[in-house]
Amino acid sequence: MVADFVSTDYGWLWSPHGKESTRVLFQAGKSRDGYFTNEEILQHAEKVMEILQRHYAEEDHIFIFDNATTHLKRADDALSACQMPKSCWEWGVDSPERDDRGKPVIGPDGKIVLHKVHITNGFFNGAVQEFYWPEAHEDAGKFKGMARILEERGFNTKKLKAQCNRKFECPSGSTTCCLQHILYNQSNFVNVKSLLEQSCKCWGYVKRLYCCYPASSKDTDLEQNVVKALDSVPLESMRKFAMRSRQFMDAYHKGLDGKQAAWATKKYRGHRVLPTTLMEDLDKANLK
């Protein structure tokens, strides 16, 4: 698997001198490099940020990712109305135990070892809202419950169920049908950032990070602009990209390395496959 970043200004994202690249080669599989999870994506993003910091920090950057779940993953303790109990309870969310290197601990059964952690607190009217009872309380350490949290926000929770059903299927257009749906629409629950967004934006010069959603989702102005931009890509540009990709595949099939493949695809731009004189031409260019 190849993961890389491409820029409208610079093409494939390299350092100006060409010695640093954002390209990652990953051999996916249980007996190989494993799987390209959110952790690998965050490591890849960190590598990109380091190159940008060294060579392009004076510019603002906008990142566009697709909406794969590995891109959208939030912190284990991030705010989420899902699975919250209605009343006061010993409740938390699953989070992997990690070793000294920060890697998830694998148990004897081959599965990741999990433990319960408290979710992060919320914000309301500009102040922190504690979701767990403090030490002095008779229920110290327990989750307050959705009903109590919403009552503190001024909602009348009497006669409301925790959720309409387990599939989170609420009546169309309703926002106050159940406790879970009310919390789901609270601003600090709606605006929870993904780990990827947090990682990129903490560097400061990343202007915006965007994960492309299907056009049927609740589009913001930015989402609409990105969708329009993608839809407006000329067919000829797509054909050129497809041809260049085919050239690279043919080059690798013939045994060329990355530098040789890049040279060959640039030299033979009009060819779908590389000519039979390729090896001789590489000799002349001192690239073999």
Side-chain angles (χ1 to χ4, degrees), residues 240 243-244 247 262-274:
K240 288 179 179 179
M243 180 178 290
R244 187 161 171 78
Q247 286 178 324
W263 175 87
T265 55
K266 185 176 181 180
K267 181 176 178 61
Y268 306 110
R269 284 188 179 276
H271 298 249
R272 290 188 178 181
V273 295
L274 302 176

Side-chain angles (χ1 to χ4, degrees), residues 127-191:
V128 174
Q129 182 186 23
E130 299 282 349
F131 284 174
Y132 292 83
W133 290 113
E135 291 184 5
H137 195 273
E138 60 180 350
D139 291 316
K142 290 184 179 180
F143 181 68
K144 289 182 176 179
M146 288 189 290
R148 175 67 184 189
I149 290 170
L150 287 172
E151 285 169 6
E152 291 177 357
R153 296 186 176 211
F155 288 91
N156 182 357
T157 62
K158 292 181 179 180
K159 298 182 181 181
L160 286 178
K161 296 188 296 183
Q163 54 191 18
C164 290
N165 58 48
R166 293 183 178 180
K167 294 182 179 180
F168 202 59
E169 295 173 342
C170 296
S172 178
S174 176
T175 58
T176 58
C177 51
C178 64
L179 300 179
Q180 194 175 77
H181 203 85
I182 296 173
L183 270 179
Y184 178 80
N185 285 286
Q186 294 294 290
S187 60
N188 56 328
F189 281 77
V190 172
N191 299 319

Side-chain angles (χ1 to χ4, degrees), residues 29-275:
K30 187 174 182 179
S31 60
R32 305 173 83 180
D33 291 335
Y35 300 95
F36 210 66
T37 66
N38 180 256
E39 290 191 12
E40 281 71 35
I41 287 170
L42 293 178
Q43 291 172 8
H44 192 194
E46 287 290 314
K47 183 178 181 180
V48 174
M49 296 302 117
E50 289 171 1
I51 290 178
L52 292 180
Q53 185 181 49
R54 282 193 288 270
H55 307 292
Y56 306 104
E58 70 283 359
E59 302 175 2
D60 289 331
H61 304 278
I62 295 176
F63 284 84
I64 301 176
F65 297 85
D66 63 29
N67 66 336
T69 54
T70 48
H71 292 153
L72 301 175
K73 179 176 171 57
R74 299 171 175 179
D76 296 325
D77 62 351
L79 286 182
S80 173
C82 295
Q83 309 304 320
M84 277 186 174
K86 178 178 180 179
S87 305
C88 180
W89 200 257
E90 290 278 2
W91 179 78
V93 292
D94 290 328
S95 180
E97 288 191 14
R98 298 184 181 276
D99 59 22
D100 295 338
R101 299 173 300 167
K103 296 291 185 181
V105 175
I106 307 299
D109 58 357
K111 297 181 179 180
I112 295 176
V113 179
L114 302 174
H115 66 288
K116 295 289 184 182
V117 298
H118 286 182
I119 63 167
T120 187
N121 290 315
F123 280 87
F124 180 64
N125 284 344
V128 174
Q129 182 186 23
E130 299 282 349
F131 284 174
Y132 292 83
W133 290 113
E135 291 184 5
H137 195 273
E138 60 180 350
D139 291 316
K142 290 184 179 180
F143 181 68
K144 289 182 176 179
M146 288 189 290
R148 175 67 184 189
I149 290 170
L150 287 172
E151 285 169 6
E152 291 177 357
R153 296 186 176 211
F155 288 91
N156 182 357
T157 62
K158 292 181 179 180
K159 298 182 181 181
L160 286 178
K161 296 188 296 183
Q163 54 191 18
C164 290
N165 58 48
R166 293 183 178 180
K167 294 182 179 180
F168 202 59
E169 295 173 342
C170 296
S172 178
S174 176
T175 58
T176 58
C177 51
C178 64
L179 300 179
Q180 194 175 77
H181 203 85
I182 296 173
L183 270 179
Y184 178 80
N185 285 286
Q186 294 294 290
S187 60
N188 56 328
F189 281 77
V190 172
N191 299 319
V192 177
K193 292 180 172 58
S194 68
L195 287 169
L196 181 59
E197 187 173 7
Q198 292 178 31
S199 176
C200 291
K201 285 195 172 182
C202 74
W203 289 79
Y205 50 81
V206 176
K207 184 177 180 181
R208 199 170 295 183
L209 179 142
Y210 172 73
C211 289
C212 296
Y213 287 83
S216 59
S217 71
K218 298 177 181 179
D219 293 325
T220 63
D221 291 340
L222 178 60
E223 289 170 347
Q224 292 173 353
N225 290 338
V226 172
V227 170
K228 289 178 181 178
L230 294 175
D231 287 343
S232 65
V233 175
L235 182 60
E236 185 59 29
S237 297
M238 295 183 184
R239 286 174 177 163
K240 288 179 179 179
F241 184 82
M243 180 178 290
R244 187 161 171 78
S245 299
R246 184 170 179 176
Q247 286 178 324
F248 266 97
M249 289 189 288
D250 187 52
Y252 293 138
H253 183 69
K254 287 181 166 65
L256 275 62
D257 60 24
K259 184 177 180 180
Q260 293 169 336
W263 175 87
T265 55
K266 185 176 181 180
K267 181 176 178 61
Y268 306 110
R269 284 188 179 276
H271 298 249
R272 290 188 178 181
V273 295
L274 302 176

